[in-house]
Amino acid sequence: MLQETEIDILSVIEGCKQNNRRSQQMLYRHFYAFAMSVALRYSRDEHDAADIMSLAFVKLFKSIHSYDASKGNFYSWLKRIVINEGLDHIKARHKFITDVEIELVEEPSISNAVIEKMNSQDVMTHIQKLPPATHAVFVLYAVEGYNHREIAEKLAISEGTSKWHVSEARKKLQQQLQHLK
């Protein structure tokens, strides 16, 4: 990936705002790896991630005129677009349980010794095996750092449902990792 200093991002963005194909190509190439890494969090495989990323870049180019560098960096803006496209991808293909009331969520534990032996790709492979809705909520919570209220708003579910999905994800991950001890 090119370093920020190697290309003038703001000039490239300005070119994109004027529908300059060369600028769009430069922006796409520069941010491809970053966008793909985000898209992979919301997909089952590279094919789905490529679909998510492609649609995200289409949305990015259509709305690039609204990007304001004084309000935040481009990475954050692009990440938000890719996350939203990933969530749209999941919602379009899978139904969410919209309202689960839970009183007490027992937090399953996963041995740190097992996790320490794994690389990030191994961890993501196990996360990608989760059911789609549970996968999406877990990534938003554990990877992206959203709280249950924010997840509930993003996905139009209750906070209890968000907590339930995180609990289910932890249980399923614990089951998957049992054999690695």
Side-chain angles (χ1 to χ4, degrees):
M1 187 162 105
L2 295 172
Q3 297 297 316
E4 274 257 353
T5 55
E6 291 181 41
I7 66 170
D8 180 0
I9 296 297
L10 294 178
S11 294
V12 172
I13 291 170
E14 284 305 314
C16 290
K17 288 180 179 181
Q18 297 171 16
N19 289 323
N20 178 291
R21 294 285 183 212
R22 180 153 163 50
S23 294
Q24 291 172 338
Q25 183 181 42
M26 287 176 69
L27 190 81
Y28 180 84
R29 285 184 177 172
H30 183 77
F31 289 101
Y32 174 88
F34 172 74
M36 183 60 110
S37 70
V38 175
L40 280 166
R41 297 176 196 164
Y42 296 91
S43 64
R44 292 237 177 249
D45 55 39
E46 285 187 28
H47 178 72
D48 277 351
D51 288 347
I52 291 167
M53 193 189 64
S54 295
L55 291 169
F57 270 99
V58 167
K59 287 182 180 178
L60 177 142
F61 291 130
K62 285 182 179 180
S63 63
I64 192 120
H65 63 279
S66 68
Y67 172 70
D68 183 353
S70 69
K71 293 183 180 177
N73 71 37
F74 192 77
Y75 279 95
S76 298
W77 193 68
L78 172 58
K79 182 179 179 181
R80 187 172 58 240
I81 291 171
V82 177
I83 288 171
N84 288 337
E85 187 57 42
L87 295 175
D88 289 348
H89 180 81
I90 291 168
K91 285 186 226 177
R93 287 165 177 73
H94 309 284
K95 295 200 182 270
F96 279 83
I97 298 170
T98 57
D99 196 26
V100 175
E101 290 301 321
I102 54 176
E103 295 298 317
L104 178 64
V105 176
E106 182 182 324
E107 294 293 329
S109 63
I110 298 171
S111 168
N112 284 343
V114 172
I115 297 295
E116 288 171 1
K117 293 177 187 175
M118 300 173 72
N119 64 38
S120 61
Q121 183 57 45
D122 292 336
V123 173
M124 283 308 297
T125 298
H126 286 286
I127 292 171
Q128 288 171 331
K129 292 178 184 175
L130 295 170
T134 300
H135 170 227
V137 172
F138 185 75
V139 168
L140 285 169
Y141 182 80
V143 178
E144 305 295 348
Y146 287 93
N147 64 41
H148 292 293
R149 182 186 49 78
E150 293 167 326
I151 295 168
E153 289 172 7
K154 276 190 157 311
L155 300 177
I157 60 175
S158 71
E159 286 184 50
T161 300
S162 176
K163 291 175 184 176
W164 179 84
H165 279 294
V166 170
S167 178
E168 280 298 298
R170 288 180 175 155
K171 283 182 208 171
K172 289 184 183 304
L173 289 170
Q174 184 179 35
Q175 290 168 356
Q176 289 179 31
L177 299 176
Q178 286 290 344
H179 73 281
L180 297 177
K181 288 184 178 180

